[in-house]
Amino acid sequence: MLSAQDNDILCRVGPGTPMGNVMREYWIPAVRSDELPSPDCPPVRVKLLGEELLAFRTTSGAIGMIQNACPHRGASLFFGRNEEEGLRCVYHGWKFDVTGACVDMPSEPAESNFKSKVHARAYPTHERNGVVWTYMGPREVPPPLPEIEHNIANTEIAKITLVMRPCNYMQGWEGEMDTAHAAFLHYGSAKSEDYEPGSFNYYQFRVRSPKFTVIDTPIGTSYGAYRPAEEDTYYWRTAHMMFPFYAVIPAGWLGMYVPMDDDHTMHWEILVRPQVGADQQRGPRSFGVEGGTAGATTWLPNGTGWYDRFNIDQEMANDYKIDREAQRTNKSYTGIEGIRQQDMAVTESMGTIYDRTHEHLGTTDALIIRTRRKLIKVAKDFRDHGILPPGVDDPTVYHMRSGEFILPRSADFWTALQEPREAYLKPSPEPKFEGANV
Protein backbone atom coordinates (compact mmCIF):
# COMPACT_ATOMS: atom_id res chain seq x y z
CA MET A 1 0.00 0.00 0.00
CA LEU A 2 1.00 3.63 -0.38
CA SER A 3 0.90 6.43 2.13
CA ALA A 4 -1.71 9.11 1.50
CA GLN A 5 1.09 11.56 0.72
CA ASP A 6 2.70 9.29 -1.89
CA ASN A 7 -0.69 8.51 -3.40
CA ASP A 8 -1.21 12.23 -3.91
CA ILE A 9 2.22 12.57 -5.55
CA LEU A 10 1.39 9.67 -7.85
CA CYS A 11 -2.07 10.88 -8.88
CA ARG A 12 -2.21 14.69 -8.80
CA VAL A 13 -1.24 16.23 -12.14
CA GLY A 14 -2.32 19.88 -12.07
CA PRO A 15 0.01 22.86 -12.49
CA GLY A 16 2.67 22.94 -9.80
CA THR A 17 2.21 19.36 -8.59
CA PRO A 18 5.27 17.06 -8.60
CA MET A 19 3.79 14.59 -11.10
CA GLY A 20 2.22 17.34 -13.17
CA ASN A 21 5.62 19.00 -13.47
CA VAL A 22 7.17 15.69 -14.56
CA MET A 23 4.53 15.15 -17.26
CA ARG A 24 4.97 18.68 -18.57
CA GLU A 25 8.55 17.81 -19.51
CA TYR A 26 7.20 15.45 -22.20
CA TRP A 27 5.16 15.85 -25.36
CA ILE A 28 1.50 15.00 -24.59
CA PRO A 29 -1.04 13.48 -27.04
CA ALA A 30 -3.79 16.09 -27.24
CA VAL A 31 -6.31 15.41 -30.05
CA ARG A 32 -6.75 13.14 -33.03
CA SER A 33 -5.95 14.88 -36.29
CA ASP A 34 -9.46 14.31 -37.60
CA GLU A 35 -10.93 16.25 -34.69
CA LEU A 36 -9.60 19.30 -36.55
CA PRO A 37 -10.59 18.15 -40.03
CA SER A 38 -9.99 21.31 -42.06
CA PRO A 39 -8.48 24.80 -41.96
CA ASP A 40 -10.52 27.31 -39.95
CA CYS A 41 -12.76 24.57 -38.55
CA PRO A 42 -14.38 25.04 -35.11
CA PRO A 43 -12.00 24.81 -32.15
CA VAL A 44 -12.08 21.81 -29.81
CA ARG A 45 -12.15 22.00 -26.02
CA VAL A 46 -9.22 20.00 -24.65
CA LYS A 47 -8.49 19.41 -20.99
CA LEU A 48 -4.90 18.36 -20.26
CA LEU A 49 -3.15 18.09 -16.90
CA GLY A 50 -5.87 20.15 -15.28
CA GLU A 51 -5.68 23.00 -17.81
CA GLU A 52 -8.56 24.14 -20.00
CA LEU A 53 -7.24 24.59 -23.54
CA LEU A 54 -8.53 24.99 -27.08
CA ALA A 55 -7.13 23.25 -30.14
CA PHE A 56 -7.68 24.93 -33.51
CA ARG A 57 -6.40 24.53 -37.06
CA THR A 58 -5.54 27.74 -38.87
CA THR A 59 -6.05 28.73 -42.49
CA SER A 60 -2.59 27.40 -43.40
CA GLY A 61 -3.17 24.12 -41.51
CA ALA A 62 -1.01 24.93 -38.49
CA ILE A 63 -2.46 23.82 -35.17
CA GLY A 64 -2.73 26.05 -32.13
CA MET A 65 -3.16 24.97 -28.51
CA ILE A 66 -4.24 28.00 -26.52
CA GLN A 67 -5.79 28.85 -23.17
CA ASN A 68 -9.57 28.86 -23.04
CA ALA A 69 -9.99 32.21 -21.27
CA CYS A 70 -9.33 35.32 -23.34
CA PRO A 71 -6.58 37.39 -21.65
CA HIS A 72 -8.79 40.48 -21.90
CA ARG A 73 -11.63 39.72 -19.48
CA GLY A 74 -11.83 35.95 -19.46
CA ALA A 75 -14.48 35.17 -22.05
CA SER A 76 -14.09 31.71 -23.57
CA LEU A 77 -12.22 31.68 -26.85
CA PHE A 78 -14.23 28.55 -27.75
CA PHE A 79 -16.85 30.94 -29.09
CA GLY A 80 -14.20 32.73 -31.14
CA ARG A 81 -13.93 33.09 -34.89
CA ASN A 82 -11.25 30.85 -36.38
CA GLU A 83 -10.11 32.96 -39.32
CA GLU A 84 -7.04 34.15 -41.18
CA GLU A 85 -4.37 32.40 -39.10
CA GLY A 86 -5.82 33.10 -35.68
CA LEU A 87 -8.63 32.76 -33.17
CA ARG A 88 -10.61 35.96 -32.62
CA CYS A 89 -12.55 36.53 -29.40
CA VAL A 90 -16.09 37.59 -30.24
CA TYR A 91 -16.38 39.74 -27.11
CA HIS A 92 -14.10 42.59 -28.22
CA GLY A 93 -12.43 41.18 -31.34
CA TRP A 94 -8.99 40.47 -29.88
CA LYS A 95 -7.24 37.93 -32.09
CA PHE A 96 -4.48 35.46 -31.17
CA ASP A 97 -2.21 33.36 -33.37
CA VAL A 98 -0.85 29.87 -32.62
CA THR A 99 1.98 31.32 -30.54
CA GLY A 100 -0.48 33.16 -28.29
CA ALA A 101 0.53 36.57 -29.61
CA CYS A 102 -2.24 39.14 -29.91
CA VAL A 103 -2.14 40.08 -33.58
CA ASP A 104 -5.21 42.33 -33.69
CA MET A 105 -6.94 44.48 -31.08
CA PRO A 106 -9.68 46.41 -32.90
CA SER A 107 -11.30 47.66 -29.70
CA GLU A 108 -8.20 49.80 -28.96
CA PRO A 109 -7.12 52.94 -30.86
CA ALA A 110 -5.14 52.26 -34.03
CA GLU A 111 -2.10 54.06 -32.64
CA SER A 112 -2.05 51.93 -29.48
CA ASN A 113 0.77 49.40 -29.02
CA PHE A 114 -1.11 47.56 -26.28
CA LYS A 115 -1.57 44.41 -28.37
CA SER A 116 2.19 43.82 -28.36
CA LYS A 117 2.05 43.53 -24.56
CA VAL A 118 -0.69 40.89 -24.42
CA HIS A 119 -0.12 37.16 -24.85
CA ALA A 120 -2.34 34.17 -24.32
CA ARG A 121 -0.83 31.02 -22.86
CA ALA A 122 -0.13 28.80 -25.85
CA TYR A 123 1.76 25.57 -26.31
CA PRO A 124 3.72 24.14 -29.25
CA THR A 125 2.08 21.40 -31.28
CA HIS A 126 3.36 18.66 -33.56
CA GLU A 127 1.15 16.54 -35.80
CA ARG A 128 2.35 13.03 -36.63
CA ASN A 129 0.38 10.17 -38.16
CA GLY A 130 -3.04 11.06 -36.85
CA VAL A 131 -1.97 12.41 -33.45
CA VAL A 132 -1.60 16.06 -32.50
CA TRP A 133 0.97 16.34 -29.73
CA THR A 134 1.56 19.33 -27.50
CA TYR A 135 4.40 20.38 -25.21
CA MET A 136 3.28 22.10 -22.00
CA GLY A 137 6.66 22.43 -20.32
CA PRO A 138 8.95 25.37 -19.60
CA ARG A 139 11.50 24.95 -22.39
CA GLU A 140 11.65 27.58 -25.10
CA VAL A 141 12.66 24.82 -27.54
CA PRO A 142 10.78 21.58 -26.82
CA PRO A 143 12.59 18.25 -26.47
CA PRO A 144 12.46 15.71 -29.32
CA LEU A 145 9.19 13.96 -29.97
CA PRO A 146 9.36 10.41 -28.53
CA GLU A 147 10.19 7.75 -31.11
CA ILE A 148 7.24 5.54 -30.25
CA GLU A 149 7.08 3.03 -33.05
CA HIS A 150 3.29 2.71 -33.02
CA ASN A 151 2.92 6.38 -33.86
CA ILE A 152 5.72 6.13 -36.44
CA ALA A 153 4.31 3.06 -38.19
CA ASN A 154 0.62 3.90 -38.08
CA THR A 155 -0.70 5.97 -40.98
CA GLU A 156 -4.43 5.33 -40.57
CA ILE A 157 -6.45 7.45 -38.18
CA ALA A 158 -9.03 4.64 -37.98
CA LYS A 159 -6.50 2.65 -35.99
CA ILE A 160 -6.33 5.30 -33.28
CA THR A 161 -9.03 4.82 -30.67
CA LEU A 162 -9.88 7.10 -27.76
CA VAL A 163 -12.26 6.65 -24.85
CA MET A 164 -12.88 9.07 -22.00
CA ARG A 165 -12.43 7.48 -18.58
CA PRO A 166 -13.84 9.12 -15.41
CA CYS A 167 -10.96 8.02 -13.20
CA ASN A 168 -7.36 8.91 -12.47
CA TYR A 169 -4.80 8.00 -15.11
CA MET A 170 -2.98 5.59 -12.80
CA GLN A 171 -6.02 3.38 -12.25
CA GLY A 172 -6.44 3.01 -15.98
CA TRP A 173 -2.75 2.32 -16.52
CA GLU A 174 -2.61 -0.26 -13.72
CA GLY A 175 -5.58 -2.08 -15.20
CA GLU A 176 -3.92 -2.12 -18.62
CA MET A 177 -0.62 -3.50 -17.36
CA ASP A 178 -1.97 -6.09 -14.92
CA THR A 179 -1.55 -9.21 -17.02
CA ALA A 180 -2.83 -11.58 -14.31
CA HIS A 181 -6.35 -10.18 -14.54
CA ALA A 182 -6.84 -11.21 -18.17
CA ALA A 183 -7.35 -14.87 -17.26
CA PHE A 184 -10.16 -13.85 -14.91
CA LEU A 185 -11.85 -10.56 -15.85
CA HIS A 186 -11.76 -11.14 -19.60
CA TYR A 187 -11.57 -14.92 -19.94
CA GLY A 188 -12.67 -16.32 -16.59
CA SER A 189 -15.12 -18.68 -18.28
CA ALA A 190 -12.50 -20.05 -20.68
CA LYS A 191 -11.03 -23.52 -20.16
CA SER A 192 -7.65 -24.69 -21.33
CA GLU A 193 -9.18 -27.78 -22.92
CA ASP A 194 -11.13 -25.48 -25.24
CA TYR A 195 -7.88 -24.47 -26.93
CA GLU A 196 -5.33 -26.31 -28.99
CA PRO A 197 -2.58 -27.84 -26.83
CA GLY A 198 0.61 -25.84 -27.24
CA SER A 199 -1.20 -22.58 -27.98
CA PHE A 200 -0.70 -19.47 -25.86
CA ASN A 201 -4.31 -19.58 -24.63
CA TYR A 202 -3.94 -23.21 -23.65
CA TYR A 203 -1.01 -22.39 -21.37
CA GLN A 204 -2.60 -19.23 -20.01
CA PHE A 205 -5.85 -20.86 -18.92
CA ARG A 206 -4.20 -24.04 -17.68
CA VAL A 207 -2.27 -22.02 -15.07
CA ARG A 208 -3.98 -18.75 -14.16
CA SER A 209 -1.41 -17.56 -11.61
CA PRO A 210 1.77 -16.39 -13.40
CA LYS A 211 5.08 -15.68 -11.75
CA PHE A 212 6.80 -12.38 -12.43
CA THR A 213 10.21 -10.98 -13.22
CA VAL A 214 10.16 -7.16 -13.10
CA ILE A 215 13.02 -4.84 -14.04
CA ASP A 216 13.74 -1.14 -14.35
CA THR A 217 14.56 0.15 -17.82
CA PRO A 218 15.95 3.48 -19.04
CA ILE A 219 12.40 4.61 -19.92
CA GLY A 220 10.36 2.94 -17.17
CA THR A 221 9.67 -0.62 -16.08
CA SER A 222 9.08 -3.96 -17.79
CA TYR A 223 7.82 -7.36 -16.76
CA GLY A 224 8.05 -10.93 -17.88
CA ALA A 225 5.15 -13.04 -16.57
CA TYR A 226 5.70 -16.76 -17.04
CA ARG A 227 3.68 -19.95 -16.73
CA PRO A 228 4.68 -23.57 -17.29
CA ALA A 229 4.40 -24.63 -20.91
CA GLU A 230 6.02 -28.02 -21.58
CA GLU A 231 8.45 -29.80 -19.27
CA ASP A 232 11.40 -27.78 -20.52
CA THR A 233 9.72 -24.48 -21.52
CA TYR A 234 7.80 -21.50 -20.13
CA TYR A 235 5.09 -19.41 -21.76
CA TRP A 236 6.05 -15.73 -21.32
CA ARG A 237 4.06 -12.52 -21.62
CA THR A 238 6.06 -9.29 -21.65
CA ALA A 239 5.00 -5.65 -21.48
CA HIS A 240 6.53 -2.25 -20.84
CA MET A 241 5.65 0.89 -18.94
CA MET A 242 7.23 3.93 -20.58
CA PHE A 243 7.27 7.40 -19.04
CA PRO A 244 5.17 9.25 -18.43
CA PHE A 245 1.97 7.17 -19.01
CA TYR A 246 2.45 4.66 -21.83
CA ALA A 247 1.67 0.95 -21.78
CA VAL A 248 2.89 -1.51 -24.42
CA ILE A 249 0.92 -4.65 -23.55
CA PRO A 250 1.59 -8.29 -24.56
CA ALA A 251 -0.88 -7.97 -27.47
CA GLY A 252 1.59 -5.40 -28.85
CA TRP A 253 -0.45 -2.25 -29.28
CA LEU A 254 0.13 1.02 -27.46
CA GLY A 255 -2.00 2.44 -24.69
CA MET A 256 -1.62 6.09 -23.66
CA TYR A 257 -3.29 7.14 -20.39
CA VAL A 258 -3.34 10.90 -20.79
CA PRO A 259 -4.53 12.78 -17.69
CA MET A 260 -7.19 15.35 -18.45
CA ASP A 261 -7.20 16.25 -14.77
CA ASP A 262 -6.93 14.30 -11.51
CA ASP A 263 -10.32 12.63 -12.03
CA HIS A 264 -10.53 12.07 -15.80
CA THR A 265 -8.32 10.32 -18.33
CA MET A 266 -8.31 10.24 -22.11
CA HIS A 267 -7.33 6.69 -22.92
CA TRP A 268 -5.71 6.33 -26.34
CA GLU A 269 -4.93 3.12 -28.19
CA ILE A 270 -2.88 2.91 -31.37
CA LEU A 271 -3.90 -0.40 -32.87
CA VAL A 272 -0.75 -1.18 -34.78
CA ARG A 273 1.21 -3.85 -33.00
CA PRO A 274 4.91 -4.36 -33.55
CA GLN A 275 5.15 -7.59 -31.61
CA VAL A 276 7.63 -10.17 -30.43
CA GLY A 277 6.16 -13.64 -30.62
CA ALA A 278 6.36 -17.24 -31.67
CA ASP A 279 5.69 -16.23 -35.27
CA GLN A 280 8.75 -13.95 -35.11
CA GLN A 281 6.90 -10.94 -36.48
CA ARG A 282 9.39 -8.11 -36.91
CA GLY A 283 7.20 -5.49 -38.56
CA PRO A 284 3.97 -3.81 -37.52
CA ARG A 285 0.77 -5.80 -37.77
CA SER A 286 -2.55 -4.10 -38.11
CA PHE A 287 -5.03 -5.21 -35.48
CA GLY A 288 -8.58 -4.19 -34.82
CA VAL A 289 -10.83 -1.57 -36.30
CA GLU A 290 -12.43 1.64 -35.09
CA GLY A 291 -13.52 0.92 -31.54
CA GLY A 292 -10.32 -0.85 -30.58
CA THR A 293 -10.54 -3.46 -27.86
CA ALA A 294 -13.91 -2.14 -26.80
CA GLY A 295 -15.64 -4.85 -28.84
CA ALA A 296 -19.29 -4.28 -29.73
CA THR A 297 -19.33 -0.67 -28.66
CA THR A 298 -21.89 2.06 -29.06
CA TRP A 299 -20.08 5.38 -29.27
CA LEU A 300 -21.96 8.47 -28.22
CA PRO A 301 -21.70 11.51 -30.51
CA ASN A 302 -18.90 13.85 -29.51
CA GLY A 303 -20.15 16.98 -27.82
CA THR A 304 -18.37 20.23 -27.13
CA GLY A 305 -17.94 20.02 -23.34
CA TRP A 306 -14.67 19.32 -21.56
CA TYR A 307 -15.65 15.68 -20.99
CA ASP A 308 -17.85 15.16 -24.05
CA ARG A 309 -15.33 13.57 -26.39
CA PHE A 310 -15.18 9.81 -27.06
CA ASN A 311 -17.74 8.50 -24.58
CA ILE A 312 -19.54 5.17 -24.87
CA ASP A 313 -23.00 4.11 -23.76
CA GLN A 314 -21.71 1.64 -21.13
CA GLU A 315 -20.89 3.54 -17.96
CA MET A 316 -21.17 3.44 -14.19
CA ALA A 317 -24.63 5.02 -14.29
CA ASN A 318 -26.03 1.95 -16.08
CA ASP A 319 -23.65 -0.60 -14.47
CA TYR A 320 -21.92 -1.02 -17.84
CA LYS A 321 -25.08 -2.84 -18.99
CA ILE A 322 -24.16 -5.95 -17.03
CA ASP A 323 -26.10 -9.07 -18.02
CA ARG A 324 -26.52 -11.14 -14.84
CA GLU A 325 -27.98 -14.08 -16.74
CA ALA A 326 -24.94 -14.25 -19.00
CA GLN A 327 -22.77 -14.08 -15.89
CA ARG A 328 -24.78 -16.78 -14.05
CA THR A 329 -24.66 -19.22 -16.97
CA ASN A 330 -20.93 -18.59 -17.67
CA LYS A 331 -21.69 -17.25 -21.09
CA SER A 332 -19.63 -14.35 -19.79
CA TYR A 333 -17.49 -14.35 -16.65
CA THR A 334 -18.44 -10.73 -15.89
CA GLY A 335 -21.69 -10.32 -17.77
CA ILE A 336 -20.23 -7.14 -19.26
CA GLU A 337 -19.77 -7.02 -23.01
CA GLY A 338 -16.43 -5.83 -24.32
CA ILE A 339 -12.85 -6.23 -23.11
CA ARG A 340 -12.34 -2.50 -22.65
CA GLN A 341 -15.67 -2.09 -20.91
CA GLN A 342 -14.73 -4.81 -18.43
CA ASP A 343 -11.54 -2.90 -17.63
CA MET A 344 -13.54 0.29 -17.25
CA ALA A 345 -16.02 -1.30 -14.84
CA VAL A 346 -13.41 -2.51 -12.36
CA THR A 347 -11.07 0.47 -12.47
CA GLU A 348 -13.77 3.15 -12.48
CA SER A 349 -15.71 1.42 -9.69
CA MET A 350 -12.78 2.25 -7.39
CA GLY A 351 -13.75 5.93 -7.47
CA THR A 352 -11.96 8.64 -9.36
CA ILE A 353 -8.81 8.37 -7.19
CA TYR A 354 -8.53 5.17 -5.20
CA ASP A 355 -7.25 5.45 -1.63
CA ARG A 356 -4.33 3.07 -1.87
CA THR A 357 -3.80 3.04 1.90
CA HIS A 358 -6.57 0.39 1.98
CA GLU A 359 -5.23 -2.13 -0.55
CA HIS A 360 -3.48 -5.46 0.00
CA LEU A 361 -1.03 -6.32 -2.77
CA GLY A 362 0.07 -9.80 -3.80
CA THR A 363 2.91 -11.34 -5.80
CA THR A 364 1.20 -10.68 -9.14
CA ASP A 365 1.24 -6.96 -8.31
CA ALA A 366 5.03 -6.86 -8.69
CA LEU A 367 5.00 -4.57 -11.72
CA ILE A 368 2.43 -2.25 -10.15
CA ILE A 369 4.57 -1.90 -7.00
CA ARG A 370 7.80 -1.30 -8.93
CA THR A 371 6.23 1.23 -11.28
CA ARG A 372 4.57 3.23 -8.53
CA ARG A 373 7.86 3.46 -6.67
CA LYS A 374 9.68 4.60 -9.79
CA LEU A 375 7.08 7.22 -10.70
CA ILE A 376 7.07 8.64 -7.17
CA LYS A 377 10.87 8.64 -6.97
CA VAL A 378 11.18 10.43 -10.32
CA ALA A 379 8.63 13.05 -9.20
CA LYS A 380 10.43 13.65 -5.90
CA ASP A 381 13.88 13.73 -7.53
CA PHE A 382 12.67 16.28 -10.06
CA ARG A 383 10.97 18.37 -7.38
CA ASP A 384 13.80 18.23 -4.83
CA HIS A 385 16.94 17.97 -6.94
CA GLY A 386 16.00 18.99 -10.48
CA ILE A 387 16.88 15.54 -11.87
CA LEU A 388 15.32 15.33 -15.31
CA PRO A 389 12.74 12.54 -15.83
CA PRO A 390 13.84 9.59 -17.99
CA GLY A 391 13.68 9.76 -21.76
CA VAL A 392 12.94 13.47 -22.09
CA ASP A 393 16.03 14.15 -24.18
CA ASP A 394 16.57 10.68 -25.64
CA PRO A 395 13.70 9.66 -27.93
CA THR A 396 15.42 6.37 -28.81
CA VAL A 397 14.72 4.79 -25.41
CA TYR A 398 11.13 4.30 -26.56
CA HIS A 399 12.22 1.54 -28.95
CA MET A 400 10.46 -1.25 -27.02
CA ARG A 401 8.36 -4.13 -28.36
CA SER A 402 6.26 -6.50 -26.27
CA GLY A 403 4.82 -9.94 -26.94
CA GLU A 404 4.05 -13.52 -26.04
CA PHE A 405 6.44 -16.39 -26.66
CA ILE A 406 7.86 -19.71 -25.53
CA LEU A 407 11.36 -19.95 -24.09
CA PRO A 408 13.47 -22.73 -22.58
CA ARG A 409 13.18 -22.76 -18.81
CA SER A 410 16.89 -22.11 -18.52
CA ALA A 411 16.73 -18.89 -20.58
CA ASP A 412 16.81 -15.35 -19.20
CA PHE A 413 13.85 -13.75 -20.94
CA TRP A 414 15.34 -10.24 -21.10
CA THR A 415 18.57 -11.40 -22.70
CA ALA A 416 16.88 -13.91 -24.99
CA LEU A 417 14.54 -11.27 -26.42
CA GLN A 418 16.91 -8.34 -26.76
CA GLU A 419 17.12 -8.36 -30.55
CA PRO A 420 13.38 -8.64 -31.35
CA ARG A 421 12.45 -6.39 -28.42
CA GLU A 422 14.63 -3.58 -29.73
CA ALA A 423 13.74 -4.03 -33.40
CA TYR A 424 12.40 -0.77 -34.70
CA LEU A 425 11.10 0.94 -37.82
CA LYS A 426 13.17 4.05 -38.36
CA PRO A 427 11.05 7.17 -38.62
CA SER A 428 11.02 9.32 -41.71
CA PRO A 429 12.23 12.90 -41.28
CA GLU A 430 9.85 14.86 -39.08
CA PRO A 431 8.46 18.29 -39.93
CA LYS A 432 9.17 21.10 -37.51
CA PHE A 433 6.61 21.76 -34.79
CA GLU A 434 4.10 24.55 -35.12
CA GLY A 435 3.55 27.24 -32.51
CA ALA A 436 5.70 28.45 -29.68
CA ASN A 437 5.75 28.25 -25.91
CA VAL A 438 4.96 31.64 -24.41
Side-chain angles (χ1 to χ4, degrees):
M1 67 177 67
L2 291 181
S3 68
Q5 293 77 14
D6 280 350
N7 199 39
D8 269 356
I9 289 175
L10 183 67
C11 296
R12 305 292 179 181
V13 297
T17 61
M19 193 61 69
N21 288 343
V22 165
M23 290 187 177
R24 283 167 171 79
E25 291 295 312
Y26 298 88
W27 285 93
I28 308 291
V31 296
R32 276 186 14 166
S33 292
D34 61 350
E35 293 185 76
L36 301 170
S38 60
D40 297 329
C41 62
V44 175
R45 287 189 175 105
V46 181
K47 202 160 192 181
L48 289 174
L49 305 182
E51 297 187 34
E52 294 182 346
L53 304 170
L54 297 174
F56 65 101
R57 191 184 294 274
T58 69
T59 309
S60 66
I63 293 175
M65 190 68 61
I66 197 169
Q67 69 182 62
N68 172 60
C70 178
H72 183 201
R73 283 163 54 187
S76 174
L77 289 171
F78 174 78
F79 299 105
R81 298 170 58 91
N82 186 7
E83 59 186 14
E84 298 175 349
E85 296 300 309
L87 198 57
R88 186 184 297 276
C89 181
V90 295
Y91 197 4
H92 294 92
W94 292 18
K95 182 178 176 181
F96 301 89
D97 67 13
V98 295
T99 73
C102 185
V103 294
D104 191 23
M105 193 177 283
S107 63
E108 292 294 309
E111 65 272 15
S112 172
N113 66 350
F114 186 42
K115 72 177 182 181
S116 65
K117 301 177 182 179
V118 177
H119 282 75
R121 186 175 72 259
Y123 296 120
T125 64
H126 191 133
E127 188 171 14
R128 183 174 71 185
N129 288 344
V131 179
V132 176
W133 302 74
T134 191
Y135 174 71
M136 301 172 66
R139 298 186 183 190
E140 184 175 348
V141 177
L145 207 66
E147 291 182 4
I148 299 175
E149 186 176 20
H150 304 75
N151 185 221
I152 300 291
N154 179 59
T155 58
E156 298 181 33
I157 294 176
K159 294 175 185 172
I160 304 174
T161 302
L162 287 77
V163 62
M164 203 284 291
R165 306 280 299 275
C167 66
N168 184 260
Y169 82 99
M170 197 61 188
Q171 280 162 231
W173 180 89
E174 289 177 355
E176 185 87 319
M177 289 290 286
D178 174 9
T179 193
H181 84 277
F184 299 93
L185 180 68
H186 303 320
Y187 304 108
S189 298
K191 299 177 182 179
S192 62
E193 53 264 35
D194 296 333
Y195 296 90
E196 181 181 349
S199 66
F200 291 163
N201 283 339
Y202 176 80
Y203 296 134
Q204 180 174 194
F205 301 134
R206 187 176 63 177
V207 178
R208 294 180 186 265
S209 55
K211 295 182 179 180
F212 279 76
T213 298
V214 180
I215 62 172
D216 288 311
T217 69
I219 191 53
T221 56
S222 296
Y223 74 72
Y226 62 99
R227 297 171 167 90
E230 303 308 317
E231 288 188 3
D232 58 346
T233 58
Y234 286 125
Y235 159 57
W236 288 84
R237 292 166 62 88
T238 67
H240 314 294
M241 176 271 175
M242 301 190 298
F243 268 78
F245 41 57
Y246 302 114
V248 185
I249 62 174
W253 57 68
L254 175 72
M256 306 189 286
Y257 284 83
V258 181
M260 301 172 71
D261 53 29
D262 295 346
D263 301 320
H264 299 83
T265 302
M266 188 60 76
H267 174 194
W268 295 63
E269 286 181 319
I270 300 185
L271 300 173
V272 169
R273 56 178 190 178
Q275 188 179 22
V276 181
D279 56 8
Q280 296 300 302
Q281 285 285 337
R282 291 293 193 267
R285 284 194 289 169
S286 169
F287 187 84
V289 295
E290 181 70 21
T293 57
T297 303
T298 300
W299 296 87
L300 303 178
N302 275 6
T304 59
W306 298 111
Y307 306 114
D308 288 347
R309 298 163 54 228
F310 302 105
N311 288 281
I312 65 175
D313 71 338
Q314 289 167 267
E315 59 180 356
M316 183 64 70
N318 59 23
D319 300 319
Y320 303 90
K321 298 189 175 181
I322 186 170
D323 183 340
R324 291 294 186 182
E325 180 64 16
Q327 186 184 56
R328 185 186 67 80
T329 59
N330 267 342
K331 180 180 178 182
S332 164
Y333 186 74
T334 62
I336 297 171
E337 184 175 5
I339 298 294
R340 181 56 64 212
Q341 292 93 321
Q342 293 160 8
D343 288 329
M344 293 169 70
V346 295
T347 55
E348 293 165 17
S349 67
M350 300 172 184
T352 55
I353 300 181
Y354 181 62
D355 182 355
R356 291 178 173 83
T357 64
H358 296 309
E359 64 188 3
H360 299 79
L361 302 179
T363 59
T364 57
D365 298 309
L367 177 79
I368 305 301
I369 295 168
R370 178 75 68 92
T371 302
R372 290 177 184 174
R373 288 174 178 170
K374 187 159 188 174
L375 282 164
I376 292 166
K377 183 178 187 303
V378 165
K380 289 180 176 179
D381 284 347
F382 188 50
R383 178 193 66 188
D384 299 338
H385 308 293
I387 299 174
L388 199 65
V392 169
D393 287 321
D394 185 359
T396 66
V397 294
Y398 289 91
H399 298 184
M400 300 280 278
R401 289 184 176 180
S402 62
E404 305 171 82
F405 46 90
I406 306 297
L407 281 180
R409 295 196 177 194
S410 59
D412 173 79
F413 88 99
W414 196 251
T415 302
L417 287 176
Q418 180 176 357
E419 181 181 348
R421 184 182 66 249
E422 296 177 357
Y424 179 70
L425 292 175
K426 293 183 179 180
S428 57
E430 289 290 336
K432 295 181 179 180
F433 67 83
E434 301 291 347
N437 196 23
V438 178

